[in-house]
Amino acid sequence: MSCRSSQPQYYEESGTVFHTLYQIKYESSVLLTEKIDAEFQAFNLSLNPFNPNSILAKVNRNEAVEVDDWFVTVFNKAMEVSARSDGAFDVTAAPLINLWGFGFERKDSVSQPVIDSLLTFVGYRKIRLEGRRVVKEDPRIQLNFSALAKGYACDVIADLLEREGVENYMIDIGGEVASKGLNPKGDCWRIGINKPEDDTTGIKNDIGQVVALCGKKGMATSGNYRNFYIKEGKKYAHTIDPRTGYPSEQTILSTSIIAPDCMTADAYATAFMAMGVEAACRMAETFQDIEYYVIYSDETGQNRIKYSKGMDAAMVKP
């Protein structure tokens, strides 16, 4: 049942999906809670790796299953970003992520022979779609869409809102954002970029920069300052380079990407982290519609910032 008001007004929805918080603000004459919840449930059955009944879980168990449109869209975007990042982004890297202790398993057994054995079935070129079926070169291949599924979920809810006639909205799922139109004050939506402070608790949320998202945009941030551990005095961050099997030793602390959609922003934010500043910025300059804001550590350990011209234009100046 829909709750109608005579005049459009801004509604706010919040809750938890995929083990993370979401917040949705939208202008409508109809409360869309039930439709949003139903869309999340449908998405959950497609791409949630934690749901044993999802299509993704069945693909990872090598069950005979036909994938849906959402799966196809995410898979094709993953392959595109893998190719453009020269394999720095790779959704088959789950065994390596688990090995280093950022998945579900322990991190005690890391050795070069173990890494070498896992690399035999890690690699985006070892998996493909044939129609609605996933074809693996090795049955041990596992897909992990965590680097773009949250972003795509934002886009899926955005599509739902637009089908319902909503022109002004902002969807935030775990820090990934899809937005269109104006906020309740009549301005472009304003999104904060956190300062990269070592903090595994997630309590520190000091904003370093505010960005105005005008028109229809997606924005995502990936950082190495929240998810890491220290072993024998060395810091290991959660970005794994799937080409080497080791945590990426790049100097990037945080990357924020603005793109036409949130899935694209999400994927390239992750790719940046593994590629490093120079290679990533060179790649980004070949795109017309991707803007970046990168915080990195220089040779002396000082934090530095590098950003594109389009990002400079979007940044809210004090």
Side-chain angles (χ1 to χ4, degrees):
M1 178 178 136
S2 296
C3 176
R4 293 191 171 272
S5 63
S6 54
Q7 285 290 97
Q9 64 183 82
Y10 278 86
Y11 293 101
E12 188 167 329
E13 315 268 355
S14 61
T16 304
V17 65
F18 322 131
H19 300 287
T20 192
L21 298 173
Y22 71 83
Q23 182 182 46
I24 303 169
K25 297 178 182 178
Y26 60 95
E27 185 186 32
S28 174
S29 57
V30 182
L31 189 60
L32 297 170
T33 309
E34 291 183 4
K35 290 185 177 181
I36 290 168
D37 288 346
E39 200 77 346
F40 274 138
Q41 288 305 314
F43 194 86
N44 186 46
L45 282 170
S46 175
L47 291 167
N48 187 348
F50 304 103
N51 183 343
N53 297 313
S54 71
I55 291 173
L56 176 56
K58 291 175 181 178
V59 167
N60 282 339
R61 292 196 301 264
N62 299 308
E63 293 180 16
V65 59
E66 291 202 347
V67 300
D68 61 5
D69 288 348
W70 287 339
F71 189 105
V72 170
T73 300
V74 170
F75 185 93
N76 287 339
K77 177 61 68 173
M79 294 301 115
E80 170 204 312
V81 179
S82 292
R84 287 185 156 173
S85 66
D86 193 29
F89 179 93
D90 196 320
V91 292
T92 70
L96 295 169
I97 295 166
N98 286 336
L99 176 70
W100 285 98
F102 296 110
F104 308 110
E105 297 170 11
R106 292 163 61 83
K107 51 181 174 280
D108 300 338
S109 55
V110 178
S111 66
Q112 191 63 53
V114 171
I115 289 172
D116 289 342
S117 69
L118 294 180
L119 285 172
T120 62
F121 59 93
V122 167
Y124 72 97
R125 293 186 180 91
K126 298 172 183 175
I127 192 164
R128 66 186 186 277
L129 271 180
E130 288 185 0
R132 295 275 174 178
R133 295 201 176 273
V134 175
V135 179
K136 303 178 183 180
E137 288 186 9
D138 188 308
R140 294 173 295 175
I141 292 171
Q142 300 276 297
L143 289 172
N144 181 343
F145 288 150
S146 63
L148 29 58
K150 274 194 304 182
Y152 188 47
C154 290
D155 296 332
V156 165
I157 299 300
D159 290 343
L160 165 69
L161 294 179
E162 290 185 27
R163 289 197 304 272
E164 297 294 326
V166 175
E167 291 295 323
N168 300 308
Y169 61 76
M170 189 280 299
I171 301 145
D172 177 338
I173 302 178
E176 322 303 2
V177 173
S179 67
K180 183 182 179 184
L182 304 174
N183 66 18
K185 294 180 179 178
D187 299 324
C188 295
W189 294 97
R190 297 194 168 194
I191 310 299
I193 298 174
N194 286 345
K195 293 178 181 177
E197 301 171 280
D198 283 356
D199 173 33
T200 56
T201 65
I203 292 171
K204 294 180 182 176
N205 284 302
D206 292 343
I207 301 297
Q209 180 64 53
V210 176
V211 174
L213 294 186
C214 302
K216 183 176 180 178
K217 291 286 192 298
M219 180 171 167
T221 297
S222 187
N224 268 337
Y225 54 94
R226 284 265 167 85
N227 197 352
F228 64 89
Y229 63 84
I230 295 172
K231 187 175 181 180
E232 295 172 1
K234 186 168 184 179
K235 180 175 170 182
Y236 291 94
H238 82 288
T239 300
I240 306 298
D241 189 332
R243 299 166 296 187
T244 64
Y246 284 85
S248 174
E249 294 192 13
Q250 301 295 348
T251 57
I252 295 181
L253 302 172
S254 169
T255 298
S256 296
I257 300 286
I258 296 176
D261 60 88
C262 193
M263 174 173 60
T264 299
D266 205 0
Y268 280 108
T270 302
F272 260 64
M273 299 303 297
M275 293 177 75
V277 181
E278 298 306 322
C281 292
R282 276 198 308 273
M283 174 188 69
E285 297 296 346
T286 67
F287 298 103
Q288 288 191 326
D289 51 7
I290 288 182
E291 308 300 341
Y292 61 85
Y293 181 96
V294 179
I295 305 171
Y296 66 98
S297 178
D298 68 13
E299 319 80 58
T300 67
Q302 296 296 307
N303 285 5
R304 303 290 180 194
I305 298 171
K306 187 168 186 172
Y307 47 81
S308 62
K309 289 180 181 177
M311 184 65 82
D312 184 34
M315 284 156 51
V316 177
K317 308 300 191 287

